[in-house]
Amino acid sequence: MGILSWTLLIPALGAVLMMFLPSRDSYTEKSSASIYGWIAFAVSTLTMIVSIFVLSNFDNSMVAYQFQENIKWIPQFGLNYHIGIDGISILLFMLTTILMPVTVLSSFKYIQKRKKEYYIWLLFLEFTMLGAFVALNLFIFYIFWELMLIPMFFLIGIWGGTRRIYATVKFVLFTVVGSLMMLAGIIYLAILARNTFGEFTFEFEQLLKLDIPVQTQLWLFAAFALAFAIKVPMFPFHTWLPDAHVEAPTAGSVILAGVLLKMGCYGFVRLGIPLFGEAALIAAPLMQTLAVIGIVYGACLALAQSDLKKLVAYSSISHLGYVILGLFALTPEAIQGSILQMVNHGISTGALFLLVGMLYERRHTREIADFGGLAHQLPVYATVFMIITLSSVALPGTNGFVGEFLILLGSFKAAWAHFVMHQEVFRLILMVFATSGVILGAYYMLWMVQRVFFGPLTNEKNKNLKDLSLREGLVLIPFIIFVFWIGLYPKPYLSKMEVSVNHYVEQYQPEALKEQLIEAPQHTETIEHKTEDVHTEH
Amino acid sequence: MENSLILFIVLLPLVGAILNGTVAATNAFRKKEIWGEKIAGIIAFTAVGISFLLSLYAVFVKMSGLEYISCTPYEWISIGELKVSVTFLIDHLSAVMLLVVTGVSSVIHFYSIGYIHGDESSVRYFSYLNLFVFAMLLLILGDSMPVMFVGWEGVGLCSYLLIGFWYKDDEKAAAGKKAFIVNRIGDFGFLLGMFLIFANVGTLTISGVNEFFHANNSMTFFWTNVAGICLFIGATGKSAQIPLYVWLPDAMAGPTPVSALIHAATMVTAGVYMVARFHGLFLAAPIAMNVVLWVGAITALFSASIALYQNDIKKVLAYSTVSQLGFMFMAAGAGAFVIAIFHLMTHAFFKACLFLGSGSVIHAMGGEQDIRYMGGLKQFMPATFITFLLATIAIAGFPPLAGFFSKDEILWNVFASEHGSKIVWFIGAVAALFTAFYMFRLVYLTFYGNFRGTREQEHHLHESPKTMTVPLMILAALSVVGGWIGIPKLLSFGAIPNFFHDFVGPAVEKFGHVHIAHYSHAVEYSLMALSVAIAFAGWYIARSMFRDLKHKLPDPDKYTGLPRLLWNKYFIDEIYIKYIVDPIKSLSTNVFLNISDKKLIDGAANGSASGWNKVAGIFSKFQTGNIQAYGFYMIFGAAIAVLFVLFVF
C-alpha cells in the first residue's frame, strides 16, 4: 500500500479504533482535557506528518498524477480504488491535513458532551475529505463526496447551537439535492462510456476521452455544476451556509469554511471544466456573473450582520466568488490565483472562525453590539485578529493579496482578450464590479473591527476577559505564519501547481483566447529588450 | 547597478517596527514593561536616522555619475508572463523622495520622543511609525507596480493604525477606518489601471510601462487615457483630491507628529510621485493629463476656500495640505513633473514645520485646538512662534523662501505649458491668495493679540522641550533655504544653476517632456511680480482683520450664506453619507438581507419543502387506519382495474 493510502487510512483507522475505546466520559462530565481529544490530535498529527512526506516527495515538474494507486474493486462496473495527486490537488490536500490537528486542538474546551463520538466524527470527516481530493475514479469521488455529509450532519446536529436541527436539515437537503443531480450525471456518463468503450468505466482519464455532443454536455454540466455551486456556495444557493456556520461548533465551522467549501471549487476545476469543456466555455459568462454577484452580494450581506459568525460566513461567499471568477477565466494567473485563494480562504476564514469561537467561549455571545473596546482588554487577541482581518481584506504582504491579485489580474487579462476579439464589454464590466469587492471587503471587516475592538470599554461583562491562553496561542501561530509566508514568498506554493495548471490551461483554454493572448508576450520581449538597451547606455 | 546597501535602507525601519511591535504586545499582555518609551524612541529614531544617513551615502556617493542603482532580493510572483521581482530602484526621482522621506521622518521621530512622552502606548506608537517608514520606502523604491502597491496600501494601513492610535475614542477609530476605506476606493482605480496596463503591456515594471507608452503604444487613444485616469483615481485617494479628499481632514484625529509626517510631508504626496513616476504613460494620455490639471486646480481652490473659515488649528492645516497637493497636481497635469516634485519637497519642509508647530501649541494649550481660545502665544513660546512664522511666510509664497520658488514655477508652467490653461492659472492664483490669507489669519489668531483661553490654560503656557523645538528649527531653516536649490534661471540670470532641475530632470523627462510656449521675459517677470503681490495682499488683508482682535470671533453656528457653507465644508461629508453610505447600508439590510435572502431564496427553499408537506398531507388523509375505508379503497381500485381492462383493451 502506498503512502497516499496511508494518509486516508490513518484517520479512518483512528476513528474505528476509537469506537472500541470505553466511553469514559459520560454525557455530563465536565473536564477540559480529554483522552479522546489527545488521541484525535495524535492521529491527525500523524496524518499530517505522513502528508508532509507526500509533499516532500512530490515532483513539481510532473504533469501526470503522482503516488497513484489503482486497486480493482468491482471491475465489471469499472469501480476501482484509484487515487493519486497532482499540482491542483496537492495544496488542498495539505491544507486539510494541516488544518485538522489545529481544529482538534481548538475543540478541547468547547466540546463538553459526548466527546468520544465528536472526535470519531472529526477523524472520519478528515478521511472523507482527503479521499475526495485524491480520488481519480468518479465513483470513488462520489462516495467520498457523499460520505462527507454524514460526519458534518452529526457535528452540527449534536454539538451545534440552539437552532442546530434546522441548520442541519437545511444543509443536508441543499447539498443532497445537488449531489443527486450529479449522481444522475455520473450514471449517464458511465453509460456513455460503455457505449463508447464497450465497458463501464468511471476513471477520470477514460471519461475525459469521451466525445460528448455539446447539447448533452450542457445538461451534464448543469447537473454537476448545481452540485458544486451549492457546495461552494454560489449565489443564489448560498443560504444554507450562514445557518450552518452559526450553528456549527467552532471546529465544524473551521472545517466547513476551510475545506468543505473548497470541494465545490475543486469539483469545478477537476471535473466540471475538464469533462464538459465546451459546455463550460458556454456557461463561463454565466458562472462568472454569478461569481461576481456573489462577491458583491456576499459583501453587502456581511455588512448587514450583527452576529460576528454570520458576518464571517457571508464574507466566505464573497471570497469564494473570487475563486469561481478566476477558475472560469482560464488563464494561468487566474487559475493559480484561484487555487491559492482556496488555501488562503481556508487560512484566513478558518482563523477568523477560531477567533470568534474563542471570544464566544469567554462571553457566550457573538453579537457585535455586546462588545466594544476589547483592544485594551485583550491586546494580543486584538493583534492577532487584526492580522487575520488584514489577510481577509487582502492587504498586500498578506496571503489574501497574492490570491486576489492573481485572480483579478488573470481574469482581467482574459476579459480584455475577449474584448479585443469580439468587442465584448460585458466581461470588462464584470471585472469592474469584481474589483469593487476590495472596497466593500475593507468596509465590512474594518467596521466590525471598530465596533468590537475600538471605542470605550463600556460593557461590564467585558472588563474581566482573559487574553489568549497558551493553547490558543499555539493554535493561532501556524495561521499567522502562513499569512505572511504566502504573502511575502508565495513561490513554494505557486511552483507546486505551476506545471499542472499550465498543462490544464493548455488543454481547456479556448483556442481563440489562446491565440489572442499569445500576441501580448511579444510586446514584452521587445520592451524588455529595449529597456535593457536604455540601461546599458548610461 | 546592483547594490545591497539599499536593502539596509529599506529593512532598518522594518526591524525597528518588529522589535518595538513585539515588545508593545508583550508589554500589554504582561502588564509590565520590557522596555518603555525611552528605549522604544531611541530604537525607532536610530533605525530611521541610520536609514537616512545610508540614503545620503547611496544617493551622493554610490549613485554619482550613474542613472540609477538597484537591488533585487528575490522574485515575488512568477506565473507565465507575469514576473514580479522585489526590486528596489534609486533613480534621480526616487532619490529625492528617499531623502525627503527619511530626512523628514528622522526629524519627526526625534520630535515624537518629546511629544509622546507619558503616553501608555508609546512603544506601539514608535512601532507603527517605523512600519510606516518601511512601507513608504517600498512605495518609493519599488520598481514595479505590484511592489509599489504593497507600499501604497502599506502606508494606508499605517495611516489607519496611527489615526486610530487612541482607539478608545470612537471618533478617532472611525476616522482611521474612513481613511482606509476612502483610500481603498482609490486603490480600486489603481488596481483597474494596473490590470488594464498588464493586459496590454504584458509587464508591470515601471520602466517597461513607461517605455511601452513612450515608444510603441499599441493601445488606442481612448484606452490609454482610461488607464491614466484609473491610476489618477488611485492618486486622488492617497493624495486627498476631489472627490476622495474627505478622509484627510478627519485624519487629524491622529497624534500631531503623525499628521506632520504622514498627512502632510510624505504619504499624501505619494499620488504626485506616482504620476511623475508614470510620466511616460501620462504624457501619452493628454485627456488624463487634463483631468489631473483640472482636478488639481479645483481641489486647490475648493479646499483653500474651506480653510478660510476653519477654527481648528489642525483642520486649517489639513485643508491647506489638500490645497497644496492640488497645486502639485496642477504642475503634474501641466507636464511640469520636476516642479511638482519640487513643490512636494518644499511643502514637506514647511508643512511638517507648521504641523509640528501646531503640535507644540496644542501641547502648551493642554490639548486645546480651537484658535478662538488662543491668542498672544508669541511671548510664551518664542521658538515655536518664529519657526511657525517662517514656515507661514514660506507657504504664502514670499521670496526668497522655499514656497515662493516652487509655487511661482507652478503658476508659470500652468500659464505657459501646452498642457496648461489660462483659466487654471487664474484659479491657482486665487487659491494662492487664499493660502496667504488663511495662513496669516492662523498666525495672528494664534500668536498675536490677547490670550483668549481660560486662566488655568494661561497659567500652564510654556515653551516646548528641546526635543520638540530643535526639529522645528531644522524644518524652519529648510523652509527658508530649501527653495534655493531650484532657483529658476530667469531670476539668477543664469548665474546659479538650477540644481534641482538638473538633478531630477533626466528622470522625469526621460520619456518626453512638455513644450513650453514662448513668452517674452517681460511677461514672465510680471507674472512673478504678481505672485509676490498676491502673497502680500493675502497677508495684508489677514493682518488688518485679525492682528489686534478686539471683538470675539463670531459663533460659527450663527453663520449664514457663504460663510455657513464654508464653515460646514460644503456639506460634502453629509452628502456622501446620505447619498452613498446610507443607501448601501439600507440596500444591504432591507433589500438583500430581508427580501432577497430571507423571502426569495429561503422562501423558495422552505416553500418547496412545505409544498411537499402539503402534497404528502393530502395523501396522508387516506391513511385513516379504518379497515372499512381500506376495504373500500381496495374494491374501488379493483373495480377501476376491471373497468380499465374491459373497456380500454
Side-chain angles (χ1 to χ4, degrees), chain A residues 166 170 174 236 238-239 297 300-301 303-305 314 332-333 336 375-376 379-380 386 390 393-396 401-402 405-406 408-409 412-413 416 419 432 435-436 438-439 442-443 446-447 449-450 454-456 467-468 487-491 494 521 523-524 526-527 531 534-535 538, chain B residues 25 28-29 31 67-68 74-79 81-82 120 146 149-150 153 157 160 167-170 173-174 177 180-181 184-185 188 191-192 194-196 198-204 207-208 211-212 215-216 218 223 510 581 584-585 588-589 592-593 596-597 601-602 605-606:
Chain A
Y166 171 76
K170 197 172 178 183
F174 264 77
H238 62 273
T239 54
Y297 187 84
C300 283
L301 280 173
L303 199 59
Q305 299 308 318
Y314 276 110
E333 294 91 345
Q336 288 206 34
H376 187 66
V380 179
M386 195 71 217
L390 296 175
V393 304
L395 191 90
F401 175 72
V402 181
F405 176 73
L406 288 175
L408 289 172
L409 186 88
F412 192 96
K413 195 172 104 171
W416 182 258
F419 170 73
V432 173
T435 311
S436 77
V438 302
I439 304 169
Y443 188 17
L446 292 185
W447 192 32
V449 166
Q450 188 199 337
F454 299 154
D467 211 336
L468 293 181
L488 297 173
Y489 192 62
K491 211 169 186 178
L494 296 174
H523 282 303
T524 338
T526 53
I527 288 159
T531 40
V534 174
H535 286 179
H538 295 271
Chain B
F29 183 62
K31 311 269 182 232
E67 196 200 2
Y68 69 91
Y74 69 99
E75 193 173 48
W76 187 27
I77 301 171
S78 163
I79 298 175
E81 51 173 333
L82 175 69
E120 55 170 357
F149 192 68
V150 177
E153 286 233 312
L157 167 71
Y160 162 76
Y167 56 78
K168 285 180 199 163
D169 183 341
D170 230 350
K177 182 197 68 184
F180 195 93
I181 291 163
R184 264 282 162 113
I185 300 174
F188 157 74
L191 279 173
L192 280 178
M194 185 163 25
F195 299 153
L196 186 57
F198 179 72
N200 284 281
V201 184
T203 178
L204 286 172
S207 53
E211 187 68 32
F212 174 86
N216 46 1
S218 62
W223 287 105
K510 188 167 159 191
V581 181
I584 290 178
K585 280 189 191 168
S588 300
T589 314
F592 288 166
L593 182 63
S596 84
D597 238 41
I601 300 174
D602 263 1
N606 293 337

Side-chain angles (χ1 to χ4, degrees), chain B residues 220-539:
Chain B
T220 58
F221 181 76
F222 175 77
W223 287 105
T224 307
N225 281 295
V226 170
I229 290 169
C230 279
L231 291 191
F232 181 62
I233 291 173
T236 58
K238 196 103 308 184
S239 294
Q241 297 295 292
I242 289 172
L244 300 180
Y245 72 92
V246 287
W247 64 271
L248 186 61
D250 288 25
M252 296 302 126
T256 304
V258 170
S259 309
L261 178 61
I262 302 184
H263 305 122
T266 55
M267 182 187 87
V268 289
T269 62
V272 182
Y273 171 72
M274 190 263 288
V275 172
R277 189 83 273 190
F278 289 102
H279 65 283
L281 161 61
F282 277 94
L283 287 175
I287 293 176
M289 285 285 272
N290 232 323
V291 171
V292 175
L293 177 76
W294 277 94
V295 169
I298 293 168
T299 309
L301 183 65
F302 178 84
S303 56
S305 72
I306 295 176
L308 296 176
Y309 271 88
Q310 297 306 308
N311 288 334
D312 181 321
I313 185 168
K314 283 180 77 180
K315 282 270 159 78
V316 175
L317 293 177
Y319 281 105
S320 161
T321 305
V322 177
S323 170
Q324 295 298 312
L325 290 164
F327 273 97
M328 294 175 213
F329 280 111
M330 275 161 70
F337 299 108
V338 177
I339 307 304
I341 299 298
F342 187 40
H343 193 59
L344 185 161
M345 184 189 78
T346 59
H347 175 257
F349 297 149
F350 52 69
K351 191 52 70 62
C353 182
L354 288 170
F355 264 115
L356 295 186
S358 78
S360 175
V361 168
I362 296 165
H363 205 255
M365 293 286 299
E368 179 63 71
Q369 304 196 7
D370 195 326
I371 48 176
R372 283 176 298 165
Y373 307 113
M374 296 180 185
L377 293 186
K378 70 175 174 173
Q379 69 237 34
F380 298 101
M381 26 197 345
T384 305
F385 165 66
I386 290 170
T387 51
F388 199 92
L389 183 65
L390 284 172
T392 301
I393 299 173
I395 191 177
F398 283 91
L401 277 72
F404 165 74
F405 297 106
S406 53
K407 198 182 285 179
D408 180 62
E409 284 276 280
I410 289 175
L411 290 177
W412 165 244
N413 274 282
V414 170
F415 185 86
S417 156
E418 60 173 341
H419 283 286
S421 136
K422 304 284 184 292
I423 305 170
V424 171
W425 171 82
F426 181 73
I427 295 174
V430 176
L433 176 69
F434 285 2
T435 309
F437 173 80
Y438 67 67
M439 281 313 301
F440 278 103
R441 170 178 177 266
L442 194 60
V443 168
Y444 284 123
L445 286 176
T446 310
F447 294 102
Y448 285 79
N450 299 322
F451 185 70
R452 296 181 295 274
T454 61
R455 204 157 275 273
E456 201 194 326
Q457 279 173 326
E458 188 167 10
H459 188 70
H460 283 116
L461 286 176
H462 58 275
E463 183 57 280
S464 298
K466 280 271 182 320
T467 47
M468 289 165 76
T469 49
V470 170
L472 285 177
M473 291 168 195
I474 296 171
L475 289 168
L478 286 169
S479 309
V480 175
V481 303
W484 297 352
I485 57 171
I487 298 173
K489 294 252 162 57
L490 187 73
L491 261 190
S492 64
F493 307 104
I496 312 167
N498 187 336
F499 297 106
F500 192 84
H501 195 286
D502 295 343
F503 186 80
V504 184
V508 292
E509 284 167 1
K510 188 167 159 191
F511 301 102
H513 57 93
V514 171
H515 180 69
I516 301 278
H518 189 75
Y519 287 93
S520 68
H521 283 343
V523 178
E524 245 181 285
Y525 279 123
S526 47
L527 280 178
M528 204 177 276
L530 190 63
S531 284
V532 179
I534 284 170
F536 268 100
W539 163 70

Side-chain angles (χ1 to χ4, degrees), chain A residues 73 95 128 198 233 294 298 339 375 384 528:
Chain A
W73 180 27
L95 175 72
T128 58
I339 295 171
V384 176
E528 277 171 357

